[in-house]
Amino acid sequence: MIGMRDRPDLEITSPANGRVKELVALRRRRVRDAERVMLVEGLEESVLAVDAGASVRALFYCPDLFLPESASASSDLVDRVRDSGAETIRLSRQAFEKAAYREGPDGILLVADTVERSLAELAGVVGDDPLILVSQGVEKPGNLGAMLRTADAAGVCAVIAADPVTDWSNPNVIRGSKGTVFAVPVASAATDEVFDWLRQKGIRAVATTPDTDLAHTAADLTGGVAILVGTEKSGLTEDAISRADARVRIPMAGLVNSLNVATAAAIVLYEAVRQRS
């Protein structure tokens, strides 16, 4: 019997190949949504995805683009995915550069099942007294990705996108998160549904807003709590603020009255971590 590592991979040399065109099409959200997949580029992100148990459909690789300092790790990842039974496809440099969405790709690109959950599915993974981050209407994929990195580092149980503008499968969310989108449970829902779910679970909603006198360090962030942050331009909606159980502000000494949303989320989350520890 031929071993998995001895089985020759399909090799694609033409940038016009149908499989390459399919990869390019996955840059569009409607295609990703229809296929229920994520497009993950980069060795670091792909390793984290595999380590986190992502369901890999296919791995595309180009040894000519492997970085010298990580060529061995790239080859090991290809072997791991091949041994798992997932498809591994070798691309020429031209074909890979056509499929890649990054400048200066490192020769690793995988397609995996989406990790987004429904709120009902999320209920089974958050546990008791969870610390949750809710982002309402955040537009920039890089900010969502940065919040996921913070959530992973802070031990947040889940991140929920309320009324999302972008999707968790956006390649730039994955890139910005350094692959932690595979390590932190994520979900999306309408704002009304999020508040209903939090109420049902007995989780307090804490809204971040400059229009309150309560500093984030003075609020009780222990127990089951969800930290709510809003859009880059205008923050949380008035409806979300009015429905929250508490409203907190980050003291600001300068001329501006707000921080980047990912930075604000990190500050309040780590205050919750401090209190909870």
Side-chain angles (χ1 to χ4, degrees):
M1 181 180 293
I2 298 176
M4 290 297 295
R5 295 190 182 211
D6 298 323
R7 185 178 299 170
D9 290 334
L10 173 67
E11 185 167 0
I12 296 173
T13 59
S14 172
N17 183 275
R19 296 296 297 272
V20 175
K21 291 180 178 179
E22 290 172 2
L23 288 174
V24 173
L26 288 177
R27 298 176 191 174
R28 299 194 296 274
R29 179 176 181 173
R30 65 177 180 80
V31 178
R32 295 193 301 272
D33 287 348
E35 297 291 331
R36 298 286 296 167
V37 298
M38 308 177 78
L39 187 62
V40 186
E41 184 173 344
L43 174 64
E44 183 178 2
E45 293 85 346
S46 298
V47 168
L48 198 152
V50 172
D51 287 345
S55 177
V56 178
R57 296 194 184 186
L59 171 65
F60 298 81
Y61 66 99
C62 176
D64 290 344
L65 291 171
F66 288 173
L67 301 177
E69 64 271 19
S70 57
S72 178
S74 297
S75 296
D76 288 344
L77 177 64
V78 175
D79 287 339
R80 286 179 64 189
V81 172
R82 185 185 298 116
D83 289 348
S84 75
E87 188 178 21
T88 49
I89 303 101
R90 180 169 178 153
L91 301 182
S92 68
R93 178 187 286 267
Q94 272 192 317
F96 195 96
E97 289 177 342
K98 174 70 173 181
Y101 58 87
R102 291 188 187 181
E103 291 184 9
D106 65 6
I108 294 291
L109 182 65
L110 65 80
V111 179
D113 289 344
T114 184
V115 295
E116 185 176 330
R117 293 172 164 89
S118 66
L119 292 177
E121 292 170 327
L122 196 64
V125 301
V126 297
D128 299 326
D129 296 331
L131 175 59
I132 293 171
L133 176 63
V134 177
S135 65
Q136 184 192 43
V138 172
E139 298 177 2
K140 296 180 181 178
N143 280 333
L144 277 179
M147 285 190 280
L148 276 169
R149 292 179 68 181
T150 297
D152 177 65
V156 169
C157 298
V159 180
I160 302 172
D163 295 331
V165 176
T166 189
D167 63 309
W168 292 117
S169 297
N170 185 297
N172 288 318
V173 171
I174 299 168
R175 182 180 187 181
S177 79
K178 287 295 183 183
T180 53
V181 69
F182 293 97
V184 180
V186 297
S188 297
T191 295
D192 285 346
E193 294 173 333
V194 173
F195 273 103
D196 289 344
W197 184 81
L198 293 175
R199 296 283 186 272
Q200 292 168 8
K201 298 300 174 186
I203 300 170
R204 290 177 294 122
V206 177
T208 56
T209 173
D211 300 322
T212 181
D213 293 327
L214 182 63
H216 70 294
T217 52
D220 179 6
L221 302 178
T222 61
V225 65
I227 308 299
L228 278 60
V229 296
T231 65
E232 294 88 348
K233 184 176 181 180
S234 56
L236 291 163
T237 62
E238 289 299 325
D239 178 63
I241 293 172
S242 67
R243 296 177 66 177
D245 299 292
R247 289 165 286 283
V248 301
R249 65 187 295 270
I250 300 170
M252 307 288 293
L255 295 177
V256 297
N257 69 348
S258 65
L259 295 168
N260 170 273
V261 63
T263 301
I267 290 171
V268 181
L269 284 175
Y270 267 96
E271 172 58 21
V273 170
R274 186 193 67 80
Q275 292 185 19
R276 299 159 83 91
S277 62

